Amino acid sequence: MADKILEYLHSSTGKQIAAALGMPVPPQLKRAKAGYADKPLAGVNALVGASANSATAAALVKALDMLGANLKVSSDLAGLDGVKQAAAKSKVDVSISQADAGVSESVLVLDVTSAASVADLRLLYDFFQPRLRRLPGNARIVVIGRPRGDSKDALAETAQASLPGFIRSLAKESGKNGTTANLIQLKSGAEAGLEGALRYFLTPHSAFVTGQVLPVVGAPKGAKAVAFSEKPLTGKLAVVTGAARGIGAAIAEVLAREGATVIGVDRPADESTLGATMSAIGGIVCPLDITEADAGLKLAAVAAERGGKIDIIVHNAGITRDKMMRNMASHLWDMVLDVNLGAIVRCNEQLLNGEAFGEGARIVCISSIGGIAGNVGQTNYAATKSAVIGYVDALSKELSGKGIAVNAIAPGFIETQMTAAIPVVTREVARRLSSLSQGGLPVDIAEAVTFMASPLAAGVNGATLRVCGQNLVGA
Ligand code: NAI
């Protein structure tokens, strides 16, 4: 499925015509061409700031150094002190940068975890304002704050509560050249999860994620810490439902790229398409309707045949049966509820009861921004996708102590067969109404799922991350 208008506007004739007519051209997003690298920011200038008394600046400086970035601090603002102290402590080199020195940084990271008053918020202005005019295309902005309930008093909570609004607005202002801006809410004591989250948000793996808030709250109790290695999913057995085509096929491919062995599940009627997708990645074909009463038991049996337990399950299979509620036949309600929600809950119950999950397993569910904003004609679909967001939150708590993390990805408009079926005008509006002025590709969802399924998301649990280019629908 392709966005023909975008393809045309990126051709040389299209660019000339757009320039002559004064039409904005959606940015060409820089996506990852290969798997996670050890030093993804080698040769990249990263400007970093932090308040003088930040308790997380040392972890931040260390993480950026691990990623290979050329660390710079700005001489013209208060953030200088916090970073210099942290760098000296961590024995990491930093150089001084000036806003008007002509050095362009394509990564800007600001730690405001210690912002505890209205006056402390001035750092946001001082750090970003002088630099935004010169940001190169596909730049990365990350602000680090605290999640709700993690600050010492009401005033500090208030200062932290400014950050989601700030980052969403900054993302809207800076998306025109493909720049993304996201907020990591780092819980005190969860610093070990920072490096992994930065590996995702500061690299092309997250090209279609902007204006989002991701809480990093610490690994589930019982989970072992794993240091970064290339191909981080080597030796892992991953189940992907709805893997024959679209987003599911892309998820299977990216999980395999990072080293996982994939069991691809799809309806028996789609076995030949599934076979082709799996043979391209050395995956295992599992024709199975996930609404079968014992689908979870069957998946456990397939994993056991391979001599293993399930390390990752991605509940991606989903359907739409759109009708205005007043015209909706009951079987359309039941069908959508069962495929998109009932099957996931049943399957997980059977896998958990049968102890079919491996140590430190990851469950990733696919929600939708339709479940956040609601859509006309989608009461059934939106109810299921909204439920998934509550489900991952609740299940992550219920599984506390078992070392299993549960998260969700909420895609926005993604170019697949599902969205190709949308009437043309609605489709064009849905595509363009985002900060990046385009729809996403299945690989964007696959990258986000793979992040959630890997040790990079060790500190993330119970969260839903939107991958939507900050689409206005669902905002
Ligand atoms: P798709 O229709 O292209 O693929 C879905 C796959 O699931 C198909 O291969 C289908 O055969 C399989 N499937 C459906 N029912 C099944 C069942 N009972 N048992 C086994 N397999 C079954 O859909 P797409 O676009 O790839 O969507 C994937 C997921 O992403 C879905 O959960 C969808 O709701 C969600 N999503 C997609 C968006 C988009 O823009 N394409 C936006 C938001 C969410």
Side-chain angles (χ1 to χ4, degrees), residues 241-248 265-267 270 288-291 316-319 339-340 366-369 381 385 411-419:
T241 70
R245 63 176 203 213
I247 292 173
V265 180
D266 214 300
R267 289 181 288 214
D270 290 305
L288 172 69
D289 186 323
I290 55 157
T291 61
N316 160 78
I319 57 167
V339 175
N340 295 3
I366 304 297
S367 172
S368 164
I369 58 170
Y381 181 77
K385 296 299 185 180
F413 183 100
I414 305 297
E415 306 285 351
T416 66
Q417 280 187 21
M418 197 187 249
T419 47

Side-chain angles (χ1 to χ4, degrees), residues 26 28-30 47 56 67 87 128 130 135 187 238 248 250 253 269 273 298 333 345 359 386 393 398 436 438 468:
Q28 204 147 21
L29 300 184
K30 207 166 134 194
L47 187 81
T56 53
L67 267 55
F128 289 112
L135 271 188
K187 197 172 172 190
E253 282 158 21
T273 325
K298 286 185 173 145
W333 176 269
V345 174
E359 205 184 303
S386 179
D393 179 31
E398 213 167 277
L436 300 171
Q438 58 198 285
C468 65

Side-chain angles (χ1 to χ4, degrees), residues 25 75 95 157 176 204 262 325 375 387 391 409 440 475:
V25 179
S75 58
S95 64
E157 285 284 326
K176 284 190 179 50
V262 177
M325 183 74 182
N375 276 327
Y391 176 66
I409 299 300

Side-chain angles (χ1 to χ4, degrees), residues 204-402:
H205 297 280
S206 61
F208 197 58
V209 183
T210 192
Q212 301 309 308
V213 179
L214 184 73
V216 171
V217 296
K221 275 184 215 143
K224 278 194 194 136
V226 182
F228 174 79
S229 63
E230 289 182 7
K231 292 209 172 226
L233 300 182
T234 301
K236 302 288 181 193
L237 195 52
V239 172
V240 180
T241 70
R245 63 176 203 213
I247 292 173
I251 293 171
E253 282 158 21
V254 177
L255 289 173
R257 181 195 77 192
E258 297 298 342
T261 301
V262 177
I263 300 174
V265 180
D266 214 300
R267 289 181 288 214
D270 290 305
E271 187 171 347
S272 65
T273 325
L274 180 65
T277 311
M278 287 304 113
S279 83
I281 59 165
I284 300 152
V285 179
C286 178
L288 172 69
D289 186 323
I290 55 157
T291 61
E292 282 182 28
D294 58 352
L297 301 178
K298 286 185 173 145
L299 290 176
V302 175
E305 267 170 39
R306 297 279 146 177
K309 296 205 169 197
I310 295 171
D311 299 299
I312 297 161
I313 186 161
V314 185
H315 293 288
N316 160 78
I319 57 167
T320 50
R321 292 293 182 274
D322 298 355
K323 273 273 176 218
M324 298 289 271
M325 183 74 182
R326 57 178 175 261
N327 300 326
M328 191 184 293
S330 61
H331 75 276
L332 297 183
W333 176 269
D334 292 341
M335 195 190 296
V336 170
L337 269 278
D338 201 34
V339 175
N340 295 3
L341 187 59
I344 300 176
V345 174
R346 265 195 315 274
C347 191
N348 284 342
E349 264 171 18
Q350 289 168 10
L351 294 173
L352 286 163
N353 291 341
E355 301 194 344
F357 282 117
E359 205 184 303
R362 302 294 171 94
I363 299 173
V364 186
C365 298
I366 304 297
S367 172
S368 164
I369 58 170
I372 297 168
N375 276 327
V376 172
Q378 290 203 318
T379 48
N380 49 1
Y381 181 77
T384 62
K385 296 299 185 180
S386 179
V388 160
I389 296 171
Y391 176 66
V392 299
D393 179 31
L395 190 62
S396 69
K397 289 176 181 127
E398 213 167 277
L399 296 183
S400 169
K402 294 205 161 102

